[in-house]
Amino acid sequence: MAIPDKIAAAHKINELLTSVVTHTGLRIKYRITVDPPGAEDRDWERPEILVDFSGPDSSMLLARGGELLRAIEVLAHETLRLTGDEHEKISFDCMNQRAMRLDELRSAARVAADKVRETSTPYHFAPMSSRERRIVHLALRDDTELRTESEGEGLRRNVVVYPKDYKSTAKPVRRTVP
């Protein structure tokens, strides 16, 4: 589902960011673009609103794996009351970090695929966000020798790459609600 009024949403994001920048004293600037042009090789990410940061304190946004940048993005999602499946409609970036991370994930997916082909054993990625898991799934979607699945719950959810016909010997974990 598309954001119904992208201009109004962009204005709300601007109000949020003006407050964040003013109250934190961060020396950053940002540009909000509605319907940004998308890279043709990025069918997994087509945001309707792109927020791009720059400035002397950019490194603070990107510290600890971009934790602050992601936190501000989550605030924007909450401000606009976006549901989980709508989070991809808004994308925050700083110093092209998002594109570099996407390339890193695609490269890691290829390395994992090669390892699974060599060993015929599953490869478990570290836990990652739903957006990053989606990148790994899509990077390997055309590989007919493999399959990918997300496993785990919450913050421990990760991607596992399996040989196509791999049969697990582990019994499924059954959970009951008290």
Side-chain angles (χ1 to χ4, degrees):
M1 174 186 237
I3 297 173
D5 187 347
K6 296 175 201 171
I7 301 299
H11 284 295
K12 281 187 177 182
I13 292 170
N14 184 52
E15 288 173 18
L16 169 70
L17 295 178
T18 298
S19 178
V20 167
V21 169
T22 301
H23 289 87
T24 62
L26 283 170
R27 295 173 300 150
I28 55 172
K29 295 179 181 179
Y30 56 89
R31 175 184 299 149
I32 301 172
T33 307
V34 174
D35 291 325
E40 291 183 22
D41 65 338
R42 285 197 195 166
D43 62 341
W44 59 81
E45 184 176 62
R46 299 213 192 281
E48 295 178 20
I49 299 174
L50 173 66
V51 181
D52 193 22
F53 291 91
S54 62
D57 288 340
S58 293
S59 60
M60 291 178 72
L61 291 176
L62 299 175
R64 298 177 59 149
E67 190 173 82
L68 181 55
L69 181 65
R70 285 193 319 271
I72 296 170
E73 186 175 32
V74 168
L75 287 174
H77 293 156
E78 293 297 320
T79 298
L80 297 176
R81 292 182 168 82
L82 298 178
T83 62
D85 59 339
E86 294 174 318
H87 286 185
E88 66 190 32
K89 305 293 182 190
I90 297 175
S91 181
F92 280 42
D93 200 1
C94 181
M95 296 173 52
N96 208 27
Q97 182 267 347
R98 180 172 235 91
M100 290 187 293
R101 178 65 176 151
L102 294 175
D103 289 343
E104 181 182 305
L105 287 168
R106 289 176 25 192
S107 179
R110 287 190 297 272
V111 169
D114 290 343
K115 189 169 190 151
V116 170
R117 277 191 215 91
E118 283 176 24
T119 64
S120 295
T121 59
Y123 181 90
H124 296 258
F125 279 89
M128 58 183 77
S129 70
S130 60
R131 196 179 270 181
E132 290 186 342
R133 288 194 312 273
R134 185 169 187 255
I135 302 304
V136 174
H137 288 300
L138 291 173
L140 298 176
R141 70 179 165 200
D142 295 330
D143 193 318
T144 58
E145 299 174 11
L146 306 170
R147 63 183 167 89
T148 61
E149 293 180 16
S150 288
E151 294 182 354
E153 294 180 19
L155 296 175
R156 289 178 281 183
R157 197 149 172 82
N158 68 310
V159 174
V160 182
V161 181
Y162 292 99
K164 183 180 180 183
D165 297 325
Y166 183 82
K167 302 272 192 274
S168 176
T169 57
K171 293 181 181 178
V173 176
R174 295 186 183 258
R175 298 181 192 266
T176 58
V177 178

